[in-house]
Amino acid sequence: MENLTIWAGWAGGIGVGLVVALLYWTTGKGLGVSAAYGEVCGLAGSDFFKRGTFAGPRWRLFFALGLPIGGAIAVLTSGISWAPTWDMGTLYPAVLPDSTWIRGGVLAAGGALIGIGARMAGGCQSGHAITGMALLNPPSVLAGGLFFVGGIVSVQTLFGLFS
Amino acid sequence: MTNAPAPQAAKITGRTLPPIAFLPFGALFGFVLSRAGATTYDYYAGLFLFSHLQLLWVIAAGAATGAVFIAIMKRMKTKAVLTGDSIDFTGKPFTKELVPGALVLGVGWGLAGACPGTVLTMLGEGKLNALFTIGGIVVGTWLYGVVKNASQGKAPSAGDSHAPAA
């Protein structure tokens, strides 16, 4: 994945902001992803996620299903061939266990915290930190700041202990 | 941007978009996330180690760009092009779970080196480790539902006695 085309951060950010604006302008919807996981849980039989905003229409689920398509297109337009990989770059592999399954356990634990935290906070990085901050919505600005605090705590701890 | 949607909007006001219409928007977002470096594990570690701030610029420029266009759409009272409805720019509310939830999400963000959206994009790029994180997010979301369902199961019965008969 070293040859994946990556724009300068500010340019990528402008792209992200334009997609947020485009979604509002065309569909009237605020961009967010984590609620799609709630819709999946509702479809899989979770009583809680069969109610309210998660009951449908499940536009968030279809938005989320588009994401991997975009990822595949991004690879194919980078001039590299698409191939499955366990590659995680250079930094995380230096502190995570080499075993695929133990490493996977750490990533799954991180995912579980993301899932719980996103529902408690009412959104994730896309809904709070990008869309919410673009709305200048105070609770979202707070949430975005606290996401960073949590991330700094876990990564500094991980790299402090194991590198 | 102002005049073009208006006559069209009058005709199709209240139209509901089929959920599948959001698939290409998701694909576009995934493509941009990838180009922004938001699917690259090293940038997550670099962000929280303060050694490479690519993703800080992405979030800052993303929020700023969104803010500019949202301000324009608010001022022009722009209607959503595909539905003709006025756009609801109401933000998410503050809740008492927001602060602990955002911290918990942040810890997971650092551990997994991904977000709910970027991890799905990573899978599309062929990054198989995304599967573990996606599985974890589904489990965490499910657990939240189980806990909320249990606590809400008690709460409405207490409230029901005060509620007028239906």
Side-chain angles (χ1 to χ4, degrees):
Chain A
M1 285 300 157
E2 280 171 36
N3 297 317
L4 195 62
T5 301
I6 293 173
W7 297 335
W10 60 268
I14 289 175
V16 166
L18 286 174
V19 178
V20 169
L22 178 72
L23 193 68
Y24 266 127
W25 180 48
T26 53
T27 71
K29 300 291 188 191
L31 191 154
V33 176
S34 69
Y37 291 85
E39 293 182 5
V40 168
C41 288
L43 287 170
S46 165
D47 288 332
F48 179 79
F49 291 109
K50 284 177 186 165
R51 296 194 291 264
T53 179
F54 301 103
R58 296 194 168 86
W59 68 269
R60 293 184 194 86
L61 180 57
F62 282 88
F63 182 85
L65 289 173
L67 293 170
I69 298 172
I73 293 172
V75 168
L76 295 172
T77 53
S78 290
I80 51 177
S81 56
W82 190 95
T85 175
W86 295 103
D87 184 51
M88 283 189 77
T90 57
L91 295 173
Y92 276 105
V95 295
L96 292 178
D98 288 331
S99 154
T100 299
W101 290 102
I102 300 175
R103 183 183 287 187
V106 174
L107 296 175
L113 295 176
I114 291 172
I116 295 167
R119 290 284 51 79
M120 289 176 72
C124 65
Q125 288 83 344
S126 57
H128 267 313
I130 305 281
T131 305
M133 291 213 279
L135 292 170
L136 311 176
N137 177 38
S140 293
V141 176
L142 173 65
L146 293 172
F147 294 164
F148 271 96
V149 172
I152 289 165
V153 167
S154 64
V155 168
Q156 295 278 348
T157 305
L158 192 66
F159 282 75
L161 289 177
F162 298 106
S163 68
Chain B
M1 196 163 157
T2 42
N3 295 330
Q8 210 184 356
K11 271 188 279 179
I12 56 173
T13 294
R15 180 168 164 186
T16 308
L17 291 171
I20 191 125
F22 291 85
L23 194 81
F25 291 101
L28 177 65
F29 192 52
F31 174 82
V32 172
L33 286 176
S34 177
R35 284 291 192 268
T39 59
T40 300
Y41 284 107
D42 280 343
Y43 288 141
Y44 287 89
L47 173 65
F48 299 123
L49 295 170
F50 314 115
S51 60
H52 202 307
L53 299 182
Q54 168 84 8
L55 296 181
L56 186 63
W57 290 113
V58 170
I59 292 175
T65 304
V68 168
F69 283 94
I70 286 168
I72 292 170
M73 288 188 277
K74 272 185 180 171
R75 176 162 286 227
M76 293 185 164
K77 296 190 172 23
T78 306
K79 307 271 196 218
V81 176
L82 296 176
T83 65
D85 289 333
S86 36
I87 305 171
D88 181 6
F89 289 114
T90 310
K92 295 170 186 284
F94 180 84
T95 64
K96 63 182 194 312
E97 289 181 358
L98 185 140
V99 169
L103 287 169
V104 167
L105 187 154
V107 169
W109 185 14
L111 276 185
C115 325
T118 59
V119 76
L120 292 168
T121 312
M122 286 170 163
L123 184 63
E125 292 176 345
K127 290 175 179 146
L128 298 174
N129 281 300
L131 288 168
F132 293 114
T133 309
I134 293 167
I137 298 174
V138 172
V139 169
T141 305
W142 185 283
L143 287 176
Y144 176 85
V146 170
V147 171
K148 287 303 267 190
N149 222 25
S151 61
Q152 283 182 358
K154 290 170 202 159
S157 59
D160 278 349
S161 56
H162 302 287

